[in-house]
Amino acid sequence: MERQVGIIGAGTSGLLACKYVLEMGFNPIVFEAKPGVGGLWNHTLKTTKLQTPKQAYQFSDFPWPSSVKEDFPDHNQVMEYIESYARHFDLLQYIKFNTRVIGIEYKGASDEDMASWDLWGGTGDPFSPQGKWNITVENIHRKSTQVYQAVFVILCIGRFSDVPNIPEFPLNQGPEIFNGKVMHSMHYSSMDDVDAAKFIEGKRVTVVGIQKSALDIATECAMVNGVENPCTVLYRNAHWNVPHYFPWGVPLALLYFTRFAELMIHKPGEGFMLNLLTTLLSPLRWLQSKIVESYVRWKLNLKMYNMIPKHSFNKDFSAGRICITPDNFFDRVEEGSIILKKSASFGFCKNGLMIDSETAPLETDVVILATGYKGDEKLKNIFVSSTFQKYIFGASNTIVPLYRECIHPRIPQLAIVGYSESFNNLYTFEMNCKWLAHLLKGTFKLPLIKEMEEDMLRWEKYMKDHSYRRSCNSSLHIYYNDQLCKDMKCNPRRKKGFFKELFEPYGPMDYVNL
């Protein structure tokens, strides 16, 4: 138990944490509620494909096999790739499948003692001879519980699963008065492909939402029911979803994933000269956004469908809200198998939905709520301590407060991987895990708790200004990785040559062997 690290979750972040912790000489034990690895990829919609090119979504030391020719592999190919990674690095032996973590409890210093610490954990070290975590788990098949102990815990539970975000409705306007079926997209996605098709066949379906899962579900409904029973997509605000990543023939990566692109953005903790340079370059960022917007408006004919967002493309990009529209989505809108309907609010009635500013109800048989997840609440609920719950949940108007998007300064011997979003989540998770492994090894120490909290406030302000309060670093991915590299005593400049360093997009392979 002396060097045992408990890892909760065997999705991509959990596998990465296991691999890098193992390489540093620790003993990982991974708890996974499902029967296999992969997290969200373990079971998803039939039409789901990778949203980023495979060159950006890959493990730095495990390239995609040559047999995968597509730039955007489907979910079956992604699952096979993830499983191959786990087998290649012999990670499966460390995973306890069908084992759900009920709660984790810290045994060590009292809340009063921890509140007085100046350094993380009291000493600044990731381990303490007095402190340990009790991890209570349930075997899903046997319904039995067991307690494991670990000197460090890594939470890799993901923010887009398990705890659905269900809108709240006034009295007598909720799903309870509706004669049809209401479900969250999570439950629809959990069906196998045949059952899902049977469930929606011949029914009038309304999908609430406009992000990736909503568009995919609406497309599946249109494929099954056609114009005879069109699927209605009910949304509040339009977003800049794109047909592909080559506006006007220019790779989006050249516009947004280079050092030069990040010079146009004000950064947390930037100095005077960097601030001045960013201010001077800011008109280029405005132009950058308009170039992409003009292409998307033209290519998807957004004006015809009244789908032009009121905010900029840069705003959605910074928040990680960009997705690729499913093939022929707007063709299906034009033919009438998908109906787009905008509404600030809605409520249920006996035969369907009452839409804002409409007197007649929208008659429907099935309502699928593609309204996201309560990832913060899911994270909070895993802690037994109410003090830690308050620390991690923060306030309703803040992001999950984490230093380097991994560590809470007031919670010792614990890290969180997977709550910082980007367009290249796998790439982000791997950098988190490399940084964390170096922290456990002792390559570097964390600063004072006060200094970490000040840094967190700077990043929180950036997230509020640019990311709709989402923990997303898409616009500052390289700048964020620079900080991790400096902590790990590595050179953050990963390219050869001045112009490549400035104008060539960064990707996972630039950080191999850190």
Side-chain angles (χ1 to χ4, degrees):
M1 202 281 286
E2 187 175 310
R3 296 172 66 85
Q4 184 153 290
V5 176
I7 300 171
I8 302 175
T12 52
S13 57
L15 293 176
L16 285 161
C18 180
K19 187 242 185 188
Y20 285 105
V21 162
L22 191 63
E23 287 183 351
M24 292 300 183
F26 300 100
N27 300 322
I29 179 170
V30 185
F31 304 100
E32 171 54 54
K34 296 184 175 67
V37 301
L40 287 177
W41 290 107
N42 195 280
H43 203 101
T44 187
L45 297 170
K46 178 181 179 181
T47 54
T48 299
K49 292 183 178 181
L50 202 59
Q51 283 290 288
T52 53
K54 66 182 180 186
Q55 294 82 3
Y57 190 95
Q58 64 180 333
F59 302 100
S60 65
D61 52 1
F62 192 74
W64 281 85
S66 58
S67 58
V68 179
K69 306 297 184 184
E70 299 85 352
D71 283 334
F72 298 90
D74 64 32
H75 65 95
N76 291 317
Q77 292 170 307
V78 176
M79 263 305 301
E80 186 175 341
Y81 174 61
I82 295 171
E83 290 171 343
S84 297
Y85 176 84
R87 291 193 299 269
H88 178 78
F89 291 104
D90 200 19
L91 304 179
L92 297 177
Q93 62 176 307
Y94 302 98
I95 304 174
K96 292 186 175 295
F97 293 108
N98 299 305
T99 305
R100 179 186 293 110
V101 174
I102 300 173
I104 60 174
E105 185 173 14
Y106 183 70
K107 296 295 184 179
S110 66
D111 288 352
E112 292 75 15
D113 288 340
M114 287 189 282
S116 68
W117 287 344
D118 293 322
L119 291 168
W120 182 53
T123 62
D125 295 324
F127 305 109
S128 166
Q130 289 81 34
K132 63 181 183 294
W133 285 93
N134 285 347
I135 305 171
T136 304
V137 304
E138 176 190 39
N139 183 288
I140 291 176
H141 295 318
R142 296 196 299 267
K143 301 299 181 184
S144 58
T145 60
Q146 186 174 350
V147 178
Y148 292 83
Q149 289 187 342
V151 291
F152 198 91
V153 167
I154 307 175
L155 299 180
C156 302
I157 59 178
R159 62 186 310 160
F160 300 112
S161 62
D162 297 333
V163 184
N165 178 41
I166 306 296
E168 296 183 0
F169 299 93
L171 185 65
N172 296 323
Q173 294 182 34
E176 67 279 358
I177 67 170
F178 176 50
N179 285 339
K181 177 72 174 177
V182 181
M183 67 165 55
H184 192 268
S185 57
M186 177 182 76
H187 302 112
Y188 178 83
S189 300
S190 66
M191 299 182 185
D192 63 43
D193 297 341
V194 174
D195 288 342
K198 287 182 179 179
F199 175 74
I200 60 177
E201 186 176 5
K203 296 184 178 71
R204 297 167 296 178
V205 180
T206 298
V207 179
V208 179
I210 197 64
Q211 292 297 295
K212 179 58 180 172
S213 60
L215 302 184
D216 282 345
I217 293 171
T219 301
E220 290 190 7
C221 292
M223 292 169 62
V224 172
N225 291 326
V227 297
E228 292 80 12
N229 288 292
C231 175
T232 300
V233 176
L234 187 63
Y235 67 98
R236 182 179 298 169
N237 296 303
H239 290 278
W240 289 103
N241 298 324
V242 299
H244 51 71
Y245 289 148
F246 294 90
W248 304 117
V250 179
L252 202 63
L254 286 177
L255 295 175
Y256 286 94
F257 295 118
T258 67
R259 282 196 182 277
F260 182 73
E262 292 195 4
L263 286 176
M264 307 176 199
I265 307 167
H266 288 291
K267 304 166 184 65
E270 65 185 359
F272 173 77
M273 292 305 297
L274 195 56
N275 180 287
L276 178 61
L277 179 60
T278 299
T279 301
L280 294 173
L281 292 175
S282 58
L284 285 180
R285 180 163 170 79
W286 174 87
L287 179 62
Q288 176 190 62
S289 186
K290 293 305 175 184
I291 289 172
V292 179
E293 290 169 25
S294 66
Y295 179 79
V296 177
R297 289 175 64 165
W298 167 75
K299 185 68 175 179
L300 299 181
N301 204 2
L302 296 184
K303 187 175 182 179
M304 174 188 290
Y305 307 113
N306 194 28
M307 287 287 287
I308 299 175
K310 295 181 179 180
H311 53 270
S312 70
F313 177 84
N314 283 345
K315 184 73 172 179
D316 270 347
F317 179 85
S318 296
R321 287 187 178 271
I322 307 298
C323 72
I324 298 178
T325 54
D327 294 340
N328 304 317
F329 179 83
F330 282 101
D331 291 340
R332 299 183 189 282
V333 175
E334 188 171 353
E335 75 179 11
S337 58
I338 294 177
I339 298 172
L340 299 173
K341 189 175 287 288
K342 184 176 181 179
S343 176
S345 62
F346 73 96
F348 286 87
C349 62
K350 183 177 180 180
N351 298 321
L353 301 174
M354 295 303 300
I355 307 300
D356 181 48
S357 75
E358 293 189 10
T359 55
L362 170 64
E363 295 187 358
T364 189
D365 302 308
V366 175
V367 177
I368 301 177
L369 301 171
T371 47
Y373 295 85
K374 294 182 177 180
D376 299 1
E377 185 173 316
K378 174 185 177 182
L379 186 62
K380 180 194 77 171
N381 291 341
I382 203 166
F383 291 96
V384 171
S385 165
S386 59
T387 300
F388 287 171
Q389 288 180 349
K390 292 175 183 176
Y391 284 154
I392 209 67
F393 197 64
S396 60
N397 63 342
T398 64
I399 61 174
V400 175
L402 299 174
Y403 177 73
R404 296 289 193 257
E405 302 299 318
C406 288
I407 298 291
H408 193 289
R410 300 286 178 180
I411 303 180
Q413 297 169 238
L414 179 135
I416 299 168
V417 177
Y419 269 67
S420 177
E421 300 175 60
S422 74
F423 277 105
N424 307 316
N425 278 338
L426 182 61
Y427 169 21
T428 299
F429 299 163
E430 184 163 18
M431 287 299 294
N432 293 158
C433 291
K434 288 181 177 183
W435 179 87
L436 181 56
H438 278 279
L439 174 64
L440 297 182
K441 183 184 178 183
T443 303
F444 65 94
K445 280 196 173 188
L446 298 177
L448 293 171
I449 289 176
K450 180 182 178 181
E451 294 174 3
M452 287 193 283
E453 290 177 337
E454 290 173 351
D455 184 78
M456 287 158 51
L457 286 174
R458 288 191 289 268
W459 276 91
E460 181 183 313
K461 183 180 184 304
Y462 165 79
M463 300 292 183
K464 284 183 177 180
D465 292 343
H466 296 87
S467 304
Y468 305 104
R469 291 195 298 105
R470 292 159 65 94
S471 297
C472 183
N473 61 23
S474 288
S475 293
L476 294 180
H477 206 247
I478 301 171
Y479 180 72
Y480 170 72
N481 286 341
D482 284 353
Q483 296 179 321
L484 302 186
C485 286
K486 290 174 184 176
D487 289 343
M488 293 185 283
K489 318 295 184 189
C490 300
N491 183 3
R493 302 292 189 267
R494 312 301 298 177
K495 304 285 189 181
K496 294 181 179 179
F498 174 80
F499 289 101
K500 284 188 175 182
E501 183 64 51
L502 198 58
F503 297 109
E504 189 175 82
Y506 261 76
M509 297 308 182
D510 291 307
Y511 297 97
V512 69
N513 298 325
L514 285 185

